[in-house]
Amino acid sequence: MELSFTQGRWNYDRWGGFDPISSSNAKPPGVELWAVFDVPKDQVDASWKNLTHTLSGLFCASINFLESSTTYSTHEWGFHPSSGGLRYGTLPREAVCTENLTPWLKLLPCRDKAGLSALLDRPSIYRGFYHSQRLHLTSSEFHSSGVESGIVLEQALTVVLQPNSHKMSKTFSSETKLQPSWSLSSIFGRKVTGRCILAKTSNVYLQLERGLVTGLENLQKDNMITGPDHVGSGGLKDNPGFELSVRPDKMFKEVNSLHGKSSSILYEYSIERYSVFEPFDLGLTWKFPVVWSCPRAPLHSSRFLMGSGNQRGTIAISFTSTDLEEGFLSANIGEESCKLQADIFQVVPWYIKAYYHTLRVFVDGQPEAITNVVEKMHVSPSEDKESPGVMELVLKFPCAVKSAALTLEFDKGFLHIDEYPPDANQGFDIPSAVIIFPNFQTSMHYLEDNSSNKSPMLSKFQEKSPVLSYTEVLLVPLTTPDFSMPYNVITITCTVFALYFGSLLNVLRRRVGEEERILKNSASKKAGRLPQLLSRLSAKLRGKEWEPPQSPSTSSSFISSKLILKVFIVAGVAVFWQYYSE
Amino acid sequence: MGESESENEAPKVKLRPIVRLGMFLISHSHLLSVVCCTAGVLTLLLLPLLAKNTYISENALMPGSANPMLSSQEVSEANGLVKDLTSLDLKRMASGIESQRLIAQYMSNLGAEVSFQKFYPQSNQFHPLHFFSSPDSATIRENISCSSYGLNTVGIIRAPRGDGKEAIVLVTPYNSEKIGLGEALSLGIAYSVFSLLTRVTWLAKDIIWVVADSKYGEYAAVDAWLRDYYIPVFSGLGIQNAEMCHGLEENTIRERNMRDGFKRAGTMAAALVIKVADRSEQFEDSLSIYAEASNGQMPNLDLINIVNYLAVHRQGLRIKVEKMWSLLNCKWLKILGEILESLGHLAKNLNPQWKFGIPAADYVEGTATLTSSLYYQALGIPTGPHGAFRDYQVDAVTLEISSRVSSNNKGRQNDFLLRGGRLIEGVIRSVNNLLEKFHQSFFLYLLTSPSKFLSVGVYMITFALLVSSLPMVAASLYAHANNLDPSFEKNESNHPASAADELGITLRSWKWLYAAKKVLVVHLWGAVVLLLPYFICQIPNCTPTTSFVVWVLLSIFSLLILFWILGSPFSYVYASQPQQREWALLKSVTISAAFIGLCLMSVINFATAEIGALLMVPMCLMAHPLKLDVKSRKLRNFSRVACNLALGFIGFPPTAFLVFKGVFEGFDGISVGDFWNWLESIWAWSSATYLYIGMIHLPCWILCIHVILHPC
């Protein structure tokens, strides 16, 4: 089971998309939860429901919204292959805050009172660009490698912070800009004061990325300080680019299997020696500006919506190749046919009625037949108010692909009034698609000094996992009713009902034949005493011969003139009264 | 009614109340139609009185609740950009891309993602099939030379902690070939806001700054960018072209990165177009708001409210909306205003709670604003680049800030940038606060002043009153035409109804079909007339006047042809039927067609329908054959003849346009070519008003003229 709370977006261009950190710790915004159940198939949904409720209670989050079948999905293969017992759900709109972090910290043995977690100063964490807390539970019954039975809990907190010391004095001539120097105390506002007593190991690692190391080497070559000596092996004193305030305990160098490019360096600091009196405060001061870029995923993927209006739209996923992958391509050139595989896993809510037959693929700006590109495809269409639609695709692009695009048309559905969320007018989210590049493994092997005590971090780095990236969350504006309307609707409906029942009763009560007979009788006799008298009187006053009233049309003008007179009198009285009452 | 009269001995069956009401309305249709029409016109004049003060409907906006953070630091940076741009303009670089590169440099220095977007100008070719849809992008790109493209520069700030689902757009149009001071200043304002927004922590939505290259018009540039944003074309043609054209330019890796990716952010929440006017006639800084988009669509009133609130209460700018300036010194309006003011006083004396009197000056101003608001909505042409956004359901306004800035006065310019920037910052902050999209306030409204508006519920009344008389008159005319004939015949031949006579009655009751056919034919002719300008446009080098004359001649010719082809049944009708009532039936059908047309139009573009109803309803109601009037020789009939002729004159679209233009702008220098130009601009923007004029107004006018000249 894995649960992650994320705030902010992982910037794949700047923060890397090809290392273990980004592919395992970069998560879509909001909550993502997946779990594999080892129960009979008919009980999977029930146990999922249980799980979501438990987690939502534990983490003070609305994970329980994932219980309804419209929000989670199952899939066959693709991301996290499993045997049917997997459920996957995301809540892109979930706001992540300290109330979610506190329960997460509670799971730590020393909470945030001691050890590394003492660094977690809430304001500074949440001020950063990206913040993701992850909880990974593996039961050893599933895990083949685990020998002893039990449950392994893995917690990871990924934070991208901006060193704020130099923020204010930003200069706008980028050529001479020095990277902001940082230290733990300037980033977090705290220092590490010794380890948690319960912890077995407590280490801080500092990784220099490949690109950075290359940059530093170049710098070194330019400066000719230490000759052909290698950066890492030369020690810290002769490092031209930056200066570390604390000497690392160990240093690992990546074993780069691919080619002779320089490899990343990992510094390890053990906190055991530090105490309250001698707090650990790692700092890094740049001496020379170095420009480097991080390793990026083979294709930069972005997803966006096309079309406007409330009726239909198109989801498009576009890939552009990142130029940095030439090395990988050249490595793969030996193979018989160079194909770049990308798996797409996309969940669409049911109110986005995607038409999977409209899937179109463009490679390098040319429309391409789907069968040429799509290797394998699994689609489970959405059912209204039942389940979301799931699309899993395995795409194979030629290696030299520059750009590719996938479009999928959809209709926007209508929701029932009580299915609208509180902020319905904002629009509805389409959860991020997951894009996996299974040909590319993120693993980093580091040369270790003593292999006896393998640190968990390094073994984590060595785990082979495909490169994974999440696309943006999309916001689809749907038709929303005016929620203040129910009052008006009630009024109108009541009026219509009153009219309807009134006329219905009228029709039912009436007997047309009998009425006609009565009318005939009354016409032959007298219409009524008083009006007859009145009309006779008026006829006498006018000096005309009295005749019985003929038709409603002739009398109507007579009546109306009288009526108008009456109305005028009443109005006059009213005005008079109004005027004198004040 | 006829049946009840025929069987006299039968008792009076009491009819349903609704039927009786209908009969009452029909029998009094003359009086009622006159009352309704005058009431409609009167309420139109009263509208400025009924305008309500605007209020901010959405609570989440909270305009002005935070202190502006824009400081002099950003302004000085922006000043640097302004200076660079103007010096660039002085140097007159050979390459046109230089200014874009400079702006992109500034943007990327701020840490924003920068991309360029290339677009090609669209020729404003009118094509009948493309009236409703924008022309296919593939067809446009056939004959483009590499040199003639515009280049938009787009910078995007990703909100540090936002989820990137929504975005706010800032647009600054500028001419890349010649940058004026105003354009440079508008870029400066946008830049100062942009640089502030890169470092604020409250940002929840991404910010897109589009520096639109207005070489080929401001609208075209923004529209091209939006089209690429919403309806991108994946097929390779455009890309190849771009590659070809850019082969000769040197590009570093960074620039290539900028160029090939069309960067996006999420759904757009709102868009602001910032312009700085060069003219400095005003004593103080002022801000004009332009909001009308195509077909009279308006952005949400809340957006205008925020701008208005922040500009007036925070930055002390004077807000202006478009006015009909010539109406301001109109004598009769002033008199009317004074009368209304005194009436208001009187009402206040009667009851202090009746407050509908406004000062006469306010009334005149309100009327002028209302007129222009109506006119620009009716025209259906967007009043600025913001119109492009409305096509994609994004609320947008154009803010044109005008000031007395001269290039040498440094402090004044700084102050101006600071105020403009703070205004924009405040608006963005408000929109940023908004969780949902704009939906609380009105979309259908007319402005009578920047802080007063008329909602649909109020201005509908005018139109409803004007139009309601049409079906009544049509029904009464029809009833009379059908009714009086049998009675007339009965007096002549008093024999009981035979089978042949019954057949005659049924035939007579279907007689309106002939009239309907005629009306239909004339409406079809209207459609033909609409298509004619397309062919006239193909004629090379034509002055507007000649093309107008050609158009008129062609339409008359086509009318004659239509009558020649389809006219034969009419002559048959004239021969067989008593012609006395034929015109009445024709008039009744015409009126119903006009009613249907006006109602349809009011759904599409209310202002057009309103103005059209003002012109058309009296004309349709008054239409009466001249011969009958001349025969009877009474004063009343002669006055009717005069009315008919005047209304017929005014009702003809070209004369109506020229007369109004003359009234508002003075009669000197008016030619019929102006009408052609006006019409051309309408169809170039594919406004529904064009359809209205051709399909509803012109046929109705022709039919009314036909009724007036009817030989009976």
Side-chain angles (χ1 to χ4, degrees):
Chain A
M1 186 208 81
E2 187 174 284
L3 172 70
S4 70
F5 292 92
T6 310
Q7 188 194 48
R9 289 161 285 171
W10 184 265
N11 192 330
Y12 285 97
D13 279 349
R14 283 198 191 162
W15 307 335
F18 199 68
D19 44 347
I21 296 177
S22 67
S23 53
S24 66
N25 290 0
K27 291 285 173 193
V31 169
E32 188 203 45
L33 172 70
W34 60 262
V36 185
F37 296 95
D38 186 26
V39 287
K41 275 206 170 171
D42 50 335
Q43 290 171 25
V44 170
D45 284 347
S47 39
W48 167 263
K49 198 176 267 186
N50 257 339
L51 179 72
T52 52
H53 277 269
T54 318
L55 286 175
S56 105
L58 276 176
F59 284 96
C60 308
S62 44
I63 307 173
N64 55 328
F65 285 154
L66 285 174
E67 66 157 334
S68 78
S69 61
T70 53
T71 48
Y72 67 86
S73 60
T74 63
H75 49 271
E76 306 287 310
W77 37 266
F79 138 90
H80 301 304
S82 71
S83 56
L86 192 141
R87 294 290 180 272
Y88 174 86
T90 52
L91 292 174
R93 202 171 282 191
E94 181 74 23
V96 179
C97 199
T98 30
E99 59 180 16
N100 307 120
L101 183 66
T102 313
W104 185 87
L105 283 173
K106 272 187 191 167
L107 296 173
L108 292 173
C110 297
R111 302 209 175 168
D112 57 342
K113 298 286 180 272
L116 277 179
S117 52
L119 278 177
L120 303 179
D121 177 36
R122 309 296 152 72
S124 53
I125 287 176
Y126 285 99
R127 198 168 48 221
F129 289 127
Y130 177 84
H131 158 89
S132 167
Q133 61 186 67
R134 194 166 60 96
L135 191 80
H136 193 97
L137 274 172
T138 359
S139 170
S140 55
E141 281 130 17
F142 293 136
H143 217 272
S144 55
S145 65
V147 182
E148 74 266 53
S149 68
I151 292 173
V152 180
L153 168 68
E154 200 185 301
Q155 281 178 272
L157 180 76
T158 316
V159 183
V160 177
L161 293 172
Q162 184 181 34
N164 50 4
S165 55
H166 281 250
K167 197 169 133 195
M168 288 306 139
S169 62
K170 222 179 192 176
T171 54
F172 287 97
S173 45
S174 70
E175 299 311 318
T176 59
K177 192 165 74 177
L178 221 63
Q179 290 90 344
S181 305
W182 54 266
S183 68
L184 282 184
S185 58
S186 76
I187 294 177
F188 290 108
R190 292 188 189 178
K191 293 172 184 173
V192 183
T193 56
R195 69 187 182 107
C196 173
I197 304 160
L198 296 170
K200 232 186 240 172
T201 57
S202 177
N203 293 332
V204 173
Y205 291 91
L206 172 68
Q207 190 196 11
L208 305 182
E209 282 170 329
R210 277 180 210 132
L212 175 60
V213 173
T214 321
L216 287 176
E217 275 171 13
N218 291 341
L219 199 70
Q220 203 169 28
K221 273 176 204 156
D222 290 349
N223 287 358
M224 284 295 176
I225 294 173
T226 46
D229 213 10
H230 213 277
V231 184
S233 56
L236 287 166
K237 288 283 174 276
D238 16 341
N239 195 329
F242 60 90
E243 195 172 10
L244 289 170
S245 67
V246 184
R247 218 186 151 74
D249 297 335
K250 280 175 204 165
M251 192 173 73
F252 303 104
K253 201 165 167 308
E254 189 198 353
V255 184
N256 205 327
S257 56
L258 287 174
H259 39 78
K261 241 170 149 184
S262 59
S263 48
S264 66
I265 297 173
L266 199 69
Y267 294 111
E268 184 188 298
Y269 296 90
S270 178
I271 320 195
E272 288 165 40
R273 345 189 241 110
Y274 299 95
S275 65
V276 190
F277 309 108
E278 195 195 351
F280 172 73
D281 183 15
L282 178 64
L284 193 148
T285 321
W286 292 98
K287 292 193 285 193
F288 289 99
V290 183
V291 181
W292 81 97
S293 57
C294 337
R296 290 190 278 180
L299 295 174
H300 173 77
S301 55
S302 72
R303 192 179 59 158
F304 52 91
L305 282 177
M306 287 158 54
S308 64
N310 278 333
Q311 200 191 354
R312 57 173 62 99
T314 308
I315 305 176
I317 302 178
S318 82
F319 300 97
T320 43
S321 76
T322 49
D323 301 332
L324 295 172
E325 299 313 313
E326 284 142 13
F328 296 102
L329 300 184
S330 62
N332 286 350
I333 246 158
E335 295 163 22
E336 68 280 9
S337 66
C338 179
K339 287 281 182 190
L340 185 64
Q341 188 180 345
D343 297 0
I344 299 176
F345 171 63
Q346 164 82 68
V347 180
V348 282
W350 65 265
Y351 40 79
I352 306 295
K353 291 172 179 149
Y355 296 120
Y356 295 102
H357 69 274
T358 58
L359 183 77
R360 293 202 295 163
V361 183
F362 298 88
V363 176
D364 285 336
Q366 301 298 330
E368 192 90 13
I370 291 176
T371 45
N372 291 352
V373 178
V374 178
E375 182 105 324
K376 200 169 156 195
M377 186 170 175
H378 172 252
V379 163
S380 66
S382 59
E383 278 174 62
D384 277 7
K385 298 169 195 189
E386 282 293 316
S387 66
V390 181
M391 180 179 77
E392 290 161 88
L393 287 175
V394 174
L395 302 176
K396 289 248 165 146
F397 296 118
C399 274
V401 66
K402 280 248 167 30
S403 67
L406 230 81
T407 61
L408 184 65
E409 288 173 26
F410 64 86
D411 264 4
K412 300 180 183 180
F414 292 103
L415 272 77
H416 192 257
I417 188 148
D418 54 6
E419 285 162 347
Y420 283 99
D423 304 315
N425 270 300
Q426 190 189 1
F428 290 80
D429 299 311
I430 303 182
S432 331
V434 189
I435 292 164
I436 309 151
F437 303 100
N439 291 1
F440 298 94
Q441 305 287 338
T442 62
S443 64
M444 288 182 171
H445 292 277
Y446 286 97
L447 273 181
E448 287 166 58
D449 307 348
N450 43 351
S451 52
S452 57
N453 56 343
K454 217 176 172 183
S455 83
M457 192 72 167
L458 292 185
S459 59
K460 191 77 199 159
F461 272 152
Q462 281 175 13
E463 251 175 42
K464 280 205 168 200
S465 61
V467 175
L468 200 91
S469 67
Y470 289 87
T471 60
E472 297 95 333
V473 174
L474 291 181
L475 192 69
V476 187
L478 288 187
T479 44
T480 36
D482 186 352
F483 291 106
S484 61
M485 215 51 185
Y487 169 73
N488 303 359
V489 172
I490 288 169
T491 333
I492 286 180
T493 337
C494 287
T495 317
V496 168
F497 265 100
L499 280 178
Y500 171 71
F501 279 113
S503 52
L504 193 74
L505 278 179
N506 200 6
V507 168
L508 286 176
R509 191 183 54 81
R510 260 198 183 162
R511 291 177 197 161
V512 181
E514 204 162 313
E515 254 178 37
E516 265 176 18
R517 192 164 49 77
I518 292 169
L519 212 64
K520 251 181 217 167
N521 289 346
S522 66
S524 59
K525 285 173 196 169
K526 290 174 186 176
R529 193 155 301 203
L530 196 64
Q532 214 170 1
L533 272 177
L534 270 178
S535 58
R536 200 173 280 183
L537 197 71
S538 65
K540 254 185 199 164
L541 280 174
R542 279 191 222 159
K544 275 186 196 167
E545 204 179 323
W546 177 75
E547 46 185 287
Q550 276 298 319
S551 67
S553 60
T554 51
S555 65
S556 67
S557 61
F558 177 59
I559 287 172
S560 71
S561 68
K562 221 174 186 177
L563 202 73
I564 287 163
L565 193 70
K566 273 183 201 164
V567 165
F568 268 110
I569 288 169
V570 169
V573 167
V575 166
F576 190 72
W577 188 67
Q578 176 81 37
Y579 197 73
Y580 273 90
S581 62
E582 286 154 15
Chain B
M1 206 164 153
E3 284 173 49
S4 64
E5 252 175 72
S6 62
E7 31 188 339
N8 255 337
E9 64 282 350
K12 286 279 161 239
V13 178
K14 214 177 171 189
L15 287 163
R16 288 289 189 81
I18 194 147
V19 179
R20 267 192 294 163
L21 189 68
M23 277 162 59
F24 176 76
L25 286 181
I26 286 169
S27 57
H28 293 77
S29 67
H30 282 288
L31 180 71
L32 279 174
S33 63
V34 170
V35 167
C36 277
C37 265
T38 45
V41 177
L42 274 182
T43 42
L44 187 63
L45 289 174
L46 281 178
L47 279 182
L49 289 184
L50 303 173
K52 281 192 282 186
N53 281 326
T54 53
Y55 56 94
I56 286 155
S57 175
E58 173 75 88
N59 287 327
L61 285 169
M62 298 191 291
S65 59
N67 285 327
M69 292 165 75
L70 196 77
S71 62
S72 52
Q73 193 197 343
E74 281 90 12
V75 168
S76 62
E77 286 159 18
N79 253 328
L81 175 71
V82 171
K83 204 186 286 168
D84 280 4
L85 278 174
T86 42
S87 67
L88 200 69
D89 191 47
L90 288 177
K91 270 187 263 170
R92 292 306 307 136
M93 288 288 194
S95 157
I97 202 175
E98 213 52 46
S99 59
Q100 281 99 332
R101 201 166 281 164
L102 180 77
I103 294 164
Q105 185 64 45
Y106 267 86
M107 276 183 190
S108 59
N109 283 353
L110 289 178
E113 293 177 17
V114 187
S115 62
F116 291 114
Q117 188 241 345
K118 197 175 298 173
F119 66 95
Y120 298 96
Q122 282 190 31
S123 52
N124 258 345
Q125 271 297 327
F126 173 69
H127 198 278
L129 294 180
H130 290 155
F131 193 83
F132 292 105
S133 61
S134 59
D136 202 12
S137 47
T139 54
I140 315 165
R141 297 191 171 167
E142 277 163 7
N143 44 1
I144 28 167
S145 60
C146 283
S147 55
S148 69
Y149 62 84
L151 198 61
N152 289 339
T153 318
V154 183
I156 299 177
I157 309 175
R158 308 276 174 198
R161 263 161 287 164
D163 43 14
K165 290 187 287 196
E166 284 171 294
I168 304 170
V169 188
L170 276 178
V171 181
T172 45
Y174 86 110
N175 191 343
S176 64
E177 283 178 340
K178 191 187 176 319
I179 305 170
L181 178 65
E183 282 164 342
L185 279 178
S186 72
L187 282 171
I189 289 177
Y191 178 76
S192 64
V193 177
F194 202 65
S195 70
L196 171 76
L197 292 176
T198 47
R199 63 189 81 159
V200 291
T201 49
W202 43 259
L203 212 58
K205 297 178 167 129
D206 295 355
I207 305 289
I208 310 177
W209 178 21
V210 183
V211 183
D213 187 355
S214 65
K215 218 189 299 179
Y216 303 106
E218 293 165 357
Y219 184 90
V222 178
D223 189 45
W225 179 72
L226 278 171
R227 208 163 339 106
D228 255 17
Y229 197 98
Y230 278 106
I231 332 164
V233 185
F234 290 114
S235 60
L237 192 63
I239 297 166
Q240 279 168 6
N241 254 331
E243 299 275 316
M244 257 159 40
C245 293
H246 262 276
L248 35 142
E249 283 183 30
E250 98 288 2
N251 18 346
T252 59
I253 286 177
R254 194 155 131 238
E255 272 197 12
R256 195 154 39 123
N257 276 346
M258 280 179 193
R259 195 155 295 147
D260 57 21
F262 184 81
K263 297 266 170 45
R264 285 156 211 281
T267 318
M268 294 180 205
L272 294 172
V273 183
I274 306 159
K275 290 207 273 188
V276 175
D278 281 329
R279 61 194 143 86
S280 51
E281 88 256 339
Q282 292 287 329
F283 177 66
E284 51 193 330
D285 292 354
S286 65
L287 174 78
S288 323
I289 302 179
Y290 299 93
E292 287 88 0
S294 57
N295 282 332
Q297 297 182 79
M298 300 288 278
N300 197 295
L301 188 56
D302 264 348
L303 191 58
I304 293 177
N305 287 346
I306 307 168
V307 175
N308 182 31
Y309 180 86
L310 286 172
V312 172
H313 297 285
R314 289 288 178 273
Q315 303 307 324
L317 294 167
R318 238 167 57 94
I319 291 269
K320 288 191 296 186
V321 280
E322 198 83 349
K323 276 179 213 160
M324 286 282 168
W325 293 102
S326 51
L327 274 181
L328 282 184
N329 8 349
C330 210
K331 279 276 163 49
W332 61 272
L333 259 183
K334 264 180 203 155
I335 294 167
L336 189 66
E338 274 156 20
I339 291 171
L340 286 170
E341 189 183 356
S342 55
L343 268 180
H345 280 303
L346 190 70
K348 209 173 212 173
N349 282 341
L350 282 178
N351 187 347
Q353 276 159 9
W354 292 346
K355 285 180 208 152
F356 58 80
I358 57 169
D362 278 7
Y363 175 79
V364 174
E365 202 143 303
T367 318
T369 317
L370 181 71
T371 319
S372 84
S373 191
L374 259 179
Y375 175 70
Y376 283 109
Q377 285 193 22
L379 213 55
I381 298 177
T383 47
H386 59 267
F389 285 96
R390 191 64 233 172
D391 295 343
Y392 300 95
Q393 279 101 44
V394 180
D395 293 299
V397 283
T398 297
L399 310 177
E400 193 179 75
I401 312 171
S402 53
S403 73
R404 301 184 301 122
V405 173
S406 54
S407 51
N408 44 25
N409 193 345
K410 204 77 200 158
R412 189 85 187 83
Q413 183 175 327
N414 274 349
D415 179 48
F416 174 73
L417 283 177
L418 193 66
R419 281 164 83 182
R422 284 191 169 162
L423 171 70
I424 305 298
E425 183 209 338
V427 176
I428 286 184
R429 190 156 191 173
S430 282
V431 176
N432 183 61
N433 286 342
L434 196 63
L435 191 63
E436 307 173 90
K437 65 181 181 200
F438 279 108
H439 72 283
Q440 280 273 1
S441 197
F442 295 91
F443 283 98
L444 302 168
Y445 57 89
L446 293 166
L447 287 176
T448 59
S449 86
S451 58
K452 286 198 163 185
F453 76 104
L454 283 166
S455 72
V456 224
V458 178
Y459 68 67
M460 267 310 278
I461 297 171
T462 317
F463 179 71
L465 280 174
L466 271 176
V467 155
S468 61
S469 53
L470 289 179
M472 282 191 306
V473 171
S476 79
L477 275 174
Y478 177 74
H480 278 275
N482 256 4
N483 239 340
L484 295 183
D485 282 351
S487 60
F488 176 66
E489 267 177 38
K490 216 162 274 167
N491 291 346
E492 285 182 356
S493 57
N494 218 347
H495 58 81
S498 65
D501 205 32
E502 254 176 39
L503 188 71
I505 284 171
T506 49
L507 269 182
R508 221 173 292 121
S509 64
W510 286 104
K511 200 172 53 183
W512 61 272
L513 269 184
Y514 295 111
K517 189 178 162 195
K518 193 181 259 180
V519 169
L520 185 71
V521 165
V522 173
H523 279 263
L524 274 180
W525 168 78
V528 171
V529 168
L530 275 189
L531 293 182
L532 284 177
Y534 170 58
F535 302 105
I536 296 172
C537 271
Q538 314 286 344
I539 305 169
N541 44 39
C542 234
T543 62
T545 316
T546 50
S547 39
F548 177 71
V549 170
V550 169
W551 188 39
V552 168
L553 288 178
L554 272 178
S555 8
I556 291 171
F557 181 63
S558 60
L559 187 65
L560 287 179
I561 287 179
L562 266 180
F563 259 94
W564 181 60
I565 294 171
L566 299 159
S568 43
F570 296 121
S571 52
Y572 166 72
V573 170
Y574 294 148
S576 67
Q577 296 287 329
Q579 285 107 33
Q580 216 151 358
R581 293 295 158 204
E582 206 266 337
W583 69 267
L585 269 181
L586 186 64
K587 185 180 167 186
S588 133
V589 177
T590 307
I591 286 176
S592 347
F595 174 69
I596 293 168
L598 280 176
C599 285
L600 279 179
M601 197 57 211
S602 76
V603 178
I604 298 166
N605 188 348
F606 179 83
T608 311
E610 174 81 53
I611 293 175
L614 262 184
L615 291 174
M616 228 159 77
V617 170
M619 178 177 74
C620 285
L621 292 181
M622 288 298 282
H624 198 263
L626 282 182
K627 258 191 189 167
L628 292 181
D629 278 343
V630 173
K631 261 186 229 160
S632 54
R633 291 178 188 284
K634 277 183 200 161
L635 185 64
R636 185 163 155 263
N637 295 53
F638 275 115
S639 65
R640 182 150 72 182
V641 169
C643 273
N644 264 334
L645 289 179
L647 287 172
F649 179 71
I650 275 288
F652 187 47
T655 53
F657 172 76
L658 293 176
V659 163
F660 280 114
K661 193 175 161 66
V663 166
F664 287 136
E665 290 170 18
F667 277 100
D668 37 300
I670 279 190
S671 70
V672 282
D674 291 345
F675 181 70
W676 174 262
N677 285 336
W678 182 76
L679 212 66
E680 206 172 33
S681 73
I682 286 182
W683 62 245
W685 291 100
S686 63
S687 157
T689 310
Y690 182 62
L691 291 185
Y692 164 80
I693 288 176
M695 308 261 289
I696 300 166
H697 200 112
L698 194 63
C700 278
W701 179 78
I702 287 283
L703 287 166
C704 283
I705 294 297
H706 182 65
V707 168
I708 288 173
L709 302 175
H710 199 274
C712 49

